[in-house]
Amino acid sequence: MTSNNAAENEMSATLSLPAPAVLSKTTENLKEEEWQEERLSADLALFLSNPSLKAALADGSLDLASYSSTVEQELQDLESQCIDVYRSKGKEIASLRTELESCDAILGALQEMLLGFQADLGGLSGDIRNLQEKSRTLGIQLRNRRKAEEGLRQYLEHIVIAPSLTNAVCRGPVNATFLESVHELNKVYEDVHSVEPQSWSSNKAPCDTVAGKEMQDHVQKLRLVAVSRTRDYFLSQMQLLKRPKTNVRMIQVHGLLKYADLQDFLYEANPQIASEVFEVYMLIMGKSLYALFRTYQAQLHQLDATKLAATRHDVIAIDDAALRDALTTKAKKRVDSFGLGTRAHDVLEDAAEPIMSHLALAEGKRYPYEMLFRSLMIHLINAVTNEHVFCRQFFKQDAFEPLFNSTLSLLLEQLENYLFSCHDALALLLMIKVTHSHRRLLKSRKIDSLNTFFDQVTHLLWPRLKMVMDAHLRSIRNANAQKFGGVDLHAHYVSRRYAEFTCSILSILHNKGGSAAGSHGSDSTTIPRKSSSSGSLKSKGKGGLQPPTLVEAKSDTVAASPRTPAAAYSKSPLERNKSDSAATPLASGSMTRTSSADLSLIGGSAHSGGGGTSSHRGSAGDMLLNDIALIMDETVLLLERLADEHGSSNKKRTVFLINNLDQIICIFQERRVVGKELNKFVELLMAQRERFVEEELLQNFSKLIAFVQQTETHMVTSSSPVDVNAHVVENLVRAFSSSWKQGIEQINRNVLSYFSNFRNGMEILKQVLTQLLLYYTRFQDIIRKVWRSKPPSFCKDLVSTTVILAEIKKYALAI
């Protein structure tokens, strides 16, 4: 009933509304109905989600009407309870409403205040916009002014001369500040005269601007002042070079090279002044170098120890009278012209320093000429290197000829004066080596200024060396026993001089700088011992000495050019007068080549026993080795001529040759020089030893040796049994058994008296006794072959080889 009344009231209220209101009300009702339907659907879904209710509806046990009344009753109870709670909290709710109204009034006041603030801020934002616009305008003006200032500053920097720069150029000392000021001045000069548009001059040519034209005269005047002051400074520094005891290098480095840019400035600003500075330096430095080398060479001349060291009489084969005279004056000589000693090591050592002449004079030292020459050459190449580098860095050009022409002429003149009286082949060859090593040194420094000078020195040294070698060769060829005042069995001084001289020459050729020995690093050659049963070498005459064949004919021998040192070397009196020497090519296989430069400058080759062939035949070095080979041949022939002085005694001839050959070999071994020469002398010595063995055995055991040789020959050539006389054999057996010890003792005494070299004598003694044992063994073999079935009764007198061997060992213990 109540719900119906409400519906009626609502309907009446709806009908009483105007048309738009009615339409709005109708729309709201429709939305309300839709909402209620959705809520009903949600409630039904919730209701059905309850399993118990869903089960009750499914089995029909749930009464919806009673359930609805129950729910409605529960809702009324809850409503009554809410009303009771509201009534109990009435005062609190009234107080809360009062507080809400108070808060609402406060918030209204705050709203009015904020609206006032909003109005004030609206006015300030306009002022800020005005300030921002003014700031933007001022920033653009500032950038424009700065850009104009930068352009003007760059322009002024390129054309305006600072007062400090003017003061440094006109009145300041020539130092690093002056050099920097000249650089800046030169840059300003280039800028104000530039005809190309530049970015710093607003893309206009600086020479066309008003300021540029005005500054050109001022810059030119200041530039002339800089040129004048630079010229005065350089000339004053160069005048210092004239002072005695001046450190030239210090002036060059700290006084000139330090300001090399100023010389470039002179070449650009005033080429005539630059040329004047160059000519003044050439004149002053050329005279200074000439004076320095003249003084140094005069001081070195006082240190020369070879003034009386070698004369034209100092050859390998010297007359007896001249030899006695030489021995009386030998004490005054400081240099041996045959033995090398440490001369090669001292001269060719790379780390050796030049001679300090004033200190050497104060200490009273003396040096061979090659040391003086080396020291002079070291100073020369150092001076050339220094001036080459200085002129390249300072003047940007080479100035070798105006600086060194007079100095080189002085050195060549002094060298010619020395060579006129020089007879020391070792000194000459060492100077050639020094010249070649210094040529290579300058080549490594990429300086070729001294090549012509080195060629001139070489052309002076090689012909003189050839003359000295020819003198040695002539002395050997012309020598005989009468000139020597007779010979004895001991080694002759000629063999020692020859060995010393040859070893010295070969050692110099081998020497790479720093080693005094002339070997390839090998030890001394050991003389081989040949079997006594082998045949001896071919001999010339009775017990003569066959010279080794060192020279072989070559049809394709290359002739040296007349402009080369080889041609100068070949033009000697001996080569012109002795056709056999001139036509004899170089010995094949007697040397080993080092390099093409060595061949043409230091001797053509190096000597070794490797049997290498010449790659530059006809060079000066090849001819030097050819002369060495000829001297060897002539020495062998001379020894043979001296051996003939012992008459018909083959034994004495052999002893003389063995002593001389052994002396030569010992010297070669001591000097550690190996090669074809040593091998040939070893072969000759072995042949003479074998000859001596036979001669010595024939003196005490001639019958035994003759029987053995004849019987063995007959047994070899005849197929029938040999008929041997038993009585002869018995006599030989008994004679040997009774005298063999005395024979060995006699052999020992002879060997010790004949040979001064104890080791050589012991080797020969051992070889003689071994050959004796071999002959006696062969004698016993003949007896066994002849009387195979029944040995004769005298066999009991045969001496056992063990006994003989034991006796031999007594004499061989020292070996």
Side-chain angles (χ1 to χ4, degrees):
M1 190 71 176
T2 303
S3 61
N4 292 332
N5 292 332
E8 290 177 357
N9 293 332
E10 183 178 359
M11 180 63 71
S12 62
T14 302
L15 291 175
S16 63
L17 293 173
V22 171
L23 182 59
S24 174
K25 189 67 175 177
T26 302
T27 303
E28 292 178 357
N29 291 335
L30 292 175
K31 291 181 178 181
E32 182 68 21
E33 290 177 357
E34 291 178 356
W35 179 77
Q36 291 179 356
E37 290 177 358
E38 290 179 356
R39 184 175 180 183
L40 178 62
S41 298
D43 293 339
L44 290 175
L46 179 63
F47 179 78
L48 292 175
S49 63
N50 192 338
S52 60
L53 294 177
K54 188 176 180 180
L57 286 175
D59 57 12
S61 60
L62 179 64
D63 186 5
L64 294 177
S66 60
Y67 184 74
S68 175
S69 61
T70 302
V71 170
E72 186 176 358
Q73 184 63 39
E74 291 177 355
L75 290 174
Q76 290 177 358
D77 293 341
L78 290 172
E79 183 178 2
S80 298
Q81 293 176 1
C82 288
I83 292 172
D84 294 338
V85 172
Y86 184 80
R87 287 177 180 176
S88 63
K89 301 292 184 179
K91 293 182 180 181
E92 296 177 359
I93 293 173
S95 176
L96 179 63
R97 181 176 179 180
T98 303
E99 291 177 358
L100 290 174
E101 290 177 352
S102 175
C103 289
D104 187 44
I106 293 172
L107 291 175
L110 290 174
Q111 183 179 6
E112 292 178 1
M113 185 184 297
L114 292 175
L115 290 175
F117 287 160
Q118 183 178 8
D120 295 338
L121 291 175
L124 291 174
S125 64
D127 295 338
I128 291 173
R129 283 194 295 271
N130 292 333
L131 291 176
Q132 287 178 345
E133 185 67 25
K134 289 181 180 180
S135 176
R136 190 179 299 109
T137 302
L138 292 175
I140 294 174
Q141 293 177 353
L142 177 62
R143 285 195 297 273
N144 291 338
R145 290 183 179 182
R146 285 180 177 177
K147 185 176 180 180
E149 179 187 0
E150 179 67 19
L152 182 61
R153 181 182 63 80
Q154 291 182 359
Y155 180 77
L156 294 178
E157 285 179 352
H158 284 83
I159 67 170
V160 174
I161 300 174
S164 59
L165 187 148
T166 304
N167 182 64
V169 172
C170 295
R171 289 183 282 281
V174 177
N175 52 18
T177 303
F178 179 84
L179 179 62
E180 184 179 355
S181 300
V182 170
H183 281 303
E184 295 179 6
L185 176 63
N186 211 34
K187 185 65 172 60
V188 172
Y189 178 84
E190 293 175 356
D191 291 338
V192 297
H193 288 81
S194 177
V195 296
E196 298 293 333
Q198 301 295 333
S199 60
W200 47 266
S201 62
S202 301
N203 294 323
K204 294 182 180 180
C207 63
D208 295 335
T209 61
V210 176
K213 293 178 180 179
E214 182 180 351
M215 288 300 300
Q216 286 179 0
D217 294 336
H218 299 290
V219 173
Q220 181 62 25
K221 292 178 181 179
L222 189 60
R223 201 162 181 246
L224 292 177
V225 173
V227 168
S228 176
R229 296 204 62 203
T230 301
R231 172 187 176 275
D232 295 340
Y233 172 76
F234 282 155
L235 294 183
S236 64
Q237 290 295 314
M238 292 174 185
Q239 291 298 325
L240 297 177
L241 298 174
K242 293 182 178 181
R243 295 181 179 179
K245 299 181 181 181
T246 300
N247 192 328
V248 175
R249 185 59 182 167
M250 294 293 292
I251 295 176
Q252 289 178 337
V253 172
H254 299 287
L256 297 176
L257 278 180
K258 187 177 180 180
Y259 305 105
D261 291 342
L262 293 179
Q263 180 66 13
D264 298 337
F265 166 71
L266 290 181
Y267 276 119
E268 181 181 352
N270 197 323
Q272 294 180 352
I273 298 297
S275 299
E276 179 189 358
V277 172
F278 176 75
E279 292 173 359
V280 170
Y281 179 81
M282 293 300 104
L283 180 62
I284 294 176
M285 196 61 198
K287 291 182 178 179
S288 299
L289 289 172
Y290 179 83
L292 287 172
F293 276 95
R294 182 181 60 187
T295 303
Y296 184 67
Q297 194 168 43
Q299 293 174 344
L300 291 181
H301 184 70
Q302 300 178 29
L303 301 174
D304 187 6
T306 62
K307 297 176 181 178
L308 299 174
T311 65
R312 59 187 180 88
H313 299 293
D314 291 324
V315 290
I316 294 177
I318 187 175
D319 295 347
D320 185 62
L323 178 62
R324 287 195 299 268
D325 182 66
L327 292 176
T328 58
T329 58
K330 190 66 176 180
K332 300 179 181 179
K333 301 180 182 181
R334 300 299 181 92
V335 178
D336 185 5
S337 58
F338 298 97
L340 186 60
T342 61
R343 292 170 66 180
H345 179 272
D346 296 338
V347 173
L348 303 178
E349 187 179 7
D350 295 335
E353 295 294 332
I355 299 173
M356 303 296 290
S357 57
H358 59 286
L359 296 179
L361 287 172
E363 297 173 2
K365 294 183 178 180
R366 293 294 182 269
Y367 299 92
Y369 189 81
E370 63 270 11
M371 284 291 294
L372 309 182
F373 178 79
R374 173 189 176 276
S375 182
L376 195 64
M377 295 297 285
I378 289 176
H379 282 297
L380 176 62
I381 64 173
N382 288 341
V384 170
T385 302
N386 178 69
E387 292 304 321
H388 176 83
V389 173
F390 173 78
C391 291
R392 288 288 183 181
Q393 293 179 350
F394 190 76
F395 295 111
K396 305 300 184 294
Q397 59 179 314
D398 194 7
F400 173 77
E401 291 188 0
L403 281 175
F404 288 95
N405 274 344
S406 57
T407 302
L408 297 182
S409 299
L410 172 67
L411 298 182
L412 289 174
E413 180 183 356
Q414 295 292 338
L415 180 61
E416 284 186 87
N417 294 335
Y418 167 75
L419 294 179
F420 183 75
S421 58
C422 177
H423 299 275
D424 189 353
L426 304 184
L428 294 172
L429 189 56
L430 286 172
M431 287 191 287
I432 292 172
K433 286 276 286 188
V434 168
T435 303
H436 174 62
S437 64
H438 289 163
R439 182 193 290 266
R440 287 189 301 179
L441 177 60
L442 281 185
K443 184 178 180 181
S444 66
R445 297 176 181 177
K446 298 181 180 180
I447 300 175
D448 56 357
S449 304
L450 280 177
N451 285 347
T452 302
F453 172 75
F454 287 144
D455 291 338
Q456 292 173 336
V457 171
T458 304
H459 278 78
L460 291 175
L461 294 174
W462 276 117
R464 188 64 191 182
L465 178 60
K466 177 61 179 175
M467 293 179 62
V468 176
M469 295 296 292
D470 290 344
H472 285 291
L473 185 59
R474 282 195 303 270
S475 70
I476 298 174
R477 281 178 176 172
N478 300 330
N480 52 52
Q482 288 73 22
K483 291 185 177 181
F484 294 144
V487 293
D488 54 16
L489 294 179
H490 297 292
H492 200 270
Y493 76 88
V494 170
S495 61
R496 171 170 290 278
R497 281 196 171 191
Y498 161 76
E500 293 280 0
F501 182 75
T502 304
C503 288
S504 299
I505 294 293
L506 297 180
S507 296
I508 294 173
L509 293 180
H510 285 150
N511 203 306
K512 302 297 183 185
S515 175
S519 66
H520 295 286
S522 61
D523 295 333
S524 301
T525 301
T526 302
I527 302 175
R529 284 177 287 178
K530 295 187 178 180
S531 174
S532 303
S533 59
S534 61
S536 61
L537 295 178
K538 294 181 180 180
S539 61
K540 178 180 179 183
K542 294 188 300 178
L545 186 64
Q546 179 66 27
T549 304
L550 292 180
V551 182
E552 298 178 1
K554 293 180 180 289
S555 60
D556 56 346
T557 302
V558 179
S561 172
R563 296 183 180 180
T564 63
Y569 185 88
S570 64
K571 291 183 179 180
S572 65
L574 184 63
E575 292 294 326
R576 291 193 297 265
N577 298 330
K578 301 290 185 179
S579 59
D580 56 341
S581 299
T584 305
L586 178 64
S588 173
S590 62
M591 71 291 294
T592 299
R593 299 296 173 260
T594 56
S595 66
S596 59
D598 292 341
L599 293 172
S600 60
L601 293 176
I602 64 152
S605 60
H607 191 89
S608 74
T613 58
S614 173
S615 60
H616 289 263
R617 290 175 297 174
S619 68
D622 292 335
M623 294 184 181
L624 173 61
L625 290 173
N626 185 35
D627 282 346
I628 295 176
L630 292 175
I631 290 176
M632 177 182 177
D633 291 341
E634 294 297 333
T635 302
V636 173
L637 294 175
L638 175 60
L639 293 178
E640 183 179 352
R641 293 197 301 271
L642 296 179
D644 291 338
E645 293 297 317
H646 293 285
S648 59
S649 176
N650 291 335
K651 184 177 179 181
K652 291 184 178 180
R653 296 177 78 258
T654 305
V655 170
F656 175 79
L657 292 174
I658 288 176
N659 283 327
N660 283 275
L661 293 174
D662 177 69
Q663 178 173 252
I664 293 173
I665 292 172
C666 288
I667 293 175
F668 269 80
Q669 291 175 345
E670 290 173 3
R671 305 299 183 268
R672 301 180 65 186
V673 176
V674 297
K676 284 292 183 178
E677 288 83 357
L678 178 59
N679 295 336
K680 290 297 182 180
F681 281 117
V682 169
E683 292 177 5
L684 293 174
L685 177 61
M686 296 309 300
Q688 295 304 316
R689 280 183 177 180
E690 292 177 359
R691 198 182 313 280
F692 175 80
V693 168
E694 296 297 332
E695 294 291 340
E696 185 66 25
L697 291 177
L698 286 175
Q699 183 176 351
N700 296 298
F701 306 98
S702 59
K703 294 181 180 180
L704 177 65
I705 294 173
F707 173 80
V708 171
Q709 292 176 347
Q710 293 173 5
T711 304
E712 284 181 345
T713 302
H714 186 68
M715 293 175 67
V716 171
T717 58
S718 177
S719 58
S720 60
V722 180
D723 185 14
V724 178
N725 190 338
H727 180 70
V728 173
V729 175
E730 182 179 2
N731 291 335
L732 291 175
V733 171
R734 297 186 188 280
F736 183 83
S737 63
S738 63
S739 63
W740 68 275
K741 288 187 177 180
Q742 293 81 1
I744 291 178
E745 179 65 27
Q746 181 63 36
I747 291 173
N748 181 50
R749 287 196 301 269
N750 291 340
V751 169
L752 292 179
S753 63
Y754 287 151
F755 306 109
S756 56
N757 186 346
F758 180 75
R759 182 171 293 277
N760 178 50
M762 289 297 99
E763 288 288 344
I764 294 175
L765 176 61
K766 186 176 181 180
Q767 190 173 346
V768 172
L769 298 180
T770 302
Q771 183 67 13
L772 173 61
L773 180 61
L774 180 60
Y775 272 126
Y776 193 67
T777 303
R778 290 157 61 186
F779 177 68
Q780 291 179 339
D781 291 340
I782 293 173
I783 294 176
R784 294 190 189 96
K785 291 179 181 179
V786 173
W787 290 283
R788 293 180 181 178
S789 59
K790 184 179 180 182
S793 60
F794 57 79
C795 287
K796 66 179 182 300
D797 295 327
L798 288 173
V799 182
S800 174
T801 55
T802 305
V803 176
I804 299 176
L805 187 59
E807 188 70 18
I808 291 175
K809 288 182 178 179
K810 294 180 181 179
Y811 297 98
L813 287 178
I815 301 177

